[in-house]
Amino acid sequence: MHIPDGYLGPTTCGFFYAVMLPVWAIASRIVKKTLKAKQVPMLAIGAAFSFVIMMFNVPIPGGSTGHATGAVLVAILLGPWAACIAVTVALVIQALLFGDGGITAIGANCFNMAFVEVFAGYYIYKLISLKSAPGSKRRVIAAGIAAYIGINIAALFTGIEFGLQPLLHHNAAGQALYCPYGLNVAVPAMAGEHILIFGWVEAIVTALVVKFLQRQEGGLI
Amino acid sequence: MKFKSHNYIQRSLLGMVSFFKEAIFAEEFAFKPGLLQKIEPRIKAALILSLILASIFIKTTPLLLVLYLFCLLLAALSRISLIFFLKRTWVFMPIFALIIALPLFFTGRIQEGVLFVVRVLTSLSFAVLLGLTTPHTLLLKTMRSFGIPQMFVMTLGMCYRYIFLFAEIIENTYLAIKSRVGGAIHYKHGQHIATWKIASLWQKSLQLNKDIYDAMLSRGYTGEPKVLDE
């Protein structure tokens, strides 16, 4: 899901930085206003937590492993605005220090994972769980469904961004300058692998973590 | 379905080891007396970011190749082992880009495929070069010069430290699991182990938050953070 440099053209990269700037500004303002002083380290810890969730290999049928992005889980635990900052910070560190995800694509990656996935997942979780008890099974199911839909919406956006590249950026001979596949290939490829594999990993991880946290400390979720 | 325990746990452990190795190698290269290491971090960051931008704007393969060769030259002048640099930059992104581009080579769209792979390789190489020649904490500090809000810079700096703490906790956890698991694990059991560890890491995070806030208070924190001071 992390878009590297070179997949998106300059216009697309600039567009997503422009879209994310006000989102980051609003997130900073809201979090600064609502975060209690003693929760200040929580943002950084939440960012580190969302960074290392990807290091947990989760076995999947067939003998292989996958990993979750954890964006919806962090949104459920921290709230959407704080999660937006935490996931952004994790993505920036990955891109800047470890070359995982492009620097020019930080805007697009943050739009997909720190904004779309976080907010879609969080509000789907809220919508399904309604006013159920913190320790209820409904919340576990809500977390799984929210994570599955959240990551699939993010994957769909990523597929659309890839697929638009040949239309937006091509030379006089009509040759693609960046991601070379159109919407008819990029969208099914991105959506397919997330609907069939990664969405389930995300759903299982998010639902089970919520379930375990309910057992450890019921009022947490 | 039974899951070979050594596959799943060993893969996690190897992931941790490579994460630490990469960070340690990066720090080692960052302190070598090479060309890029001598340049002031803010100027270097601006220079390399411009080169990454150039690799995105260039529209022809030959020009991109020139830029890539320039990147290799910069790496050599910065006393980075070329074999290490090539290994670090070719695995995994450009190889993945090559696999993506493969169908193009069989459908007569060779130029598009080559341009795509060379572009991914060049931009990634510059990004890795920046990370290898600058101490990570210093690199995060330079972000202040680019007008990034204080809340993000503070969170970035603190987050970077906790990543290592968390990675160490995860490594120890997997080592403990490996030492206790003899045979094969059903994949569902493996999923429970991984998610249980994520949940307990979150519990540890909450405890850590309390400890750090107490430490901040004891050092005179009054609500206004002072970040990454000289």
Side-chain angles (χ1 to χ4, degrees), chain B residues 58-167:
Chain B
I58 288 174
K59 292 180 177 174
T60 60
T61 308
L63 253 181
L64 266 174
L65 279 172
V66 171
L67 203 62
Y68 179 59
L69 288 176
F70 179 61
C71 180
L72 291 183
L73 179 72
L74 281 178
L77 291 173
S78 305
R79 300 195 179 192
I80 294 168
S81 149
L82 222 51
I83 293 172
F84 170 81
F85 189 69
L86 290 174
K87 248 199 264 177
R88 174 68 187 80
T89 48
W90 269 96
V91 181
F92 143 94
M93 283 300 171
I95 288 182
F96 188 64
L98 197 63
I99 294 168
I100 290 178
L102 264 184
L104 299 175
F105 297 124
F106 298 107
T107 50
R109 295 169 66 189
I110 299 168
Q111 282 181 329
E112 285 172 86
V114 173
L115 178 69
F116 175 62
V117 175
V118 175
R119 193 191 297 285
V120 170
L121 174 67
T122 309
S123 47
L124 175 77
S125 299
F126 278 117
V128 169
L129 192 61
L130 179 65
L132 282 178
T133 56
T134 323
H136 286 177
T137 45
L138 217 60
L139 191 56
L140 294 175
K141 197 160 89 171
T142 60
M143 296 188 76
R144 277 163 76 194
S145 324
F146 293 97
I148 312 284
Q150 194 191 36
M151 176 173 281
F152 279 94
V153 180
M154 180 187 75
T155 312
L156 273 166
M158 286 173 78
C159 169
Y160 183 68
R161 295 179 182 94
Y162 300 135
I163 284 169
F164 287 93
L165 179 68
F166 284 178

Side-chain angles (χ1 to χ4, degrees), chain A residues 3 17-18 29 31 37 66-67 77 91 113 123 127 129 131 136 139 180 199 206-207 211-212 216 220:
Chain A
I3 305 171
Y17 268 108
R29 216 176 44 226
V31 169
H67 68 79
L77 295 171
L91 289 172
M113 285 184 272
Y123 284 107
L127 193 73
S129 56
K131 286 175 182 169
S136 66
R139 286 193 180 246
T206 310
K211 188 179 160 191
F212 285 136
Q216 289 173 5
L220 201 70

Side-chain angles (χ1 to χ4, degrees), chain A residues 65 98 176 178 180-181 216, chain B residues 11 56 88 100 109 112 203:
Chain A
T65 59
F98 297 100
Y178 302 93
Y181 298 107
Q216 289 173 5
Chain B
R11 204 175 292 176
I56 300 297
R88 174 68 187 80
I100 290 178
R109 295 169 66 189
E112 285 172 86
Q203 296 288 49

Side-chain angles (χ1 to χ4, degrees), chain A residues 110-221:
Chain A
C110 288
F111 176 80
N112 299 334
M113 285 184 272
F115 181 61
V116 171
E117 189 177 347
V118 159
F119 279 88
Y122 179 79
Y123 284 107
I124 290 166
Y125 169 74
K126 282 279 164 195
L127 193 73
I128 299 173
S129 56
L130 286 173
K131 286 175 182 169
S132 56
S136 66
K137 202 175 174 185
R138 189 186 178 102
R139 286 193 180 246
V140 175
I141 296 165
I145 295 172
Y148 184 79
I149 298 176
I151 195 170
N152 274 296
I153 295 176
L156 179 67
F157 270 93
T158 311
I160 293 171
E161 288 151 23
F162 285 154
L164 285 175
Q165 295 314 300
L167 293 173
L168 293 171
H169 309 279
H170 50 79
N171 60 16
Q175 292 173 330
L177 295 170
Y178 302 93
C179 185
Y181 298 107
L183 289 165
N184 58 333
V185 176
V187 171
M190 281 304 292
E193 63 180 18
H194 283 83
I195 287 172
L196 295 173
I197 307 169
F198 299 118
W200 293 107
V201 175
E202 196 75 34
I204 288 165
V205 168
T206 310
L208 285 178
V209 171
V210 167
K211 188 179 160 191
F212 285 136
L213 286 174
Q214 280 180 337
R215 274 191 212 161
Q216 289 173 5
E217 201 173 330
L220 201 70
I221 307 292

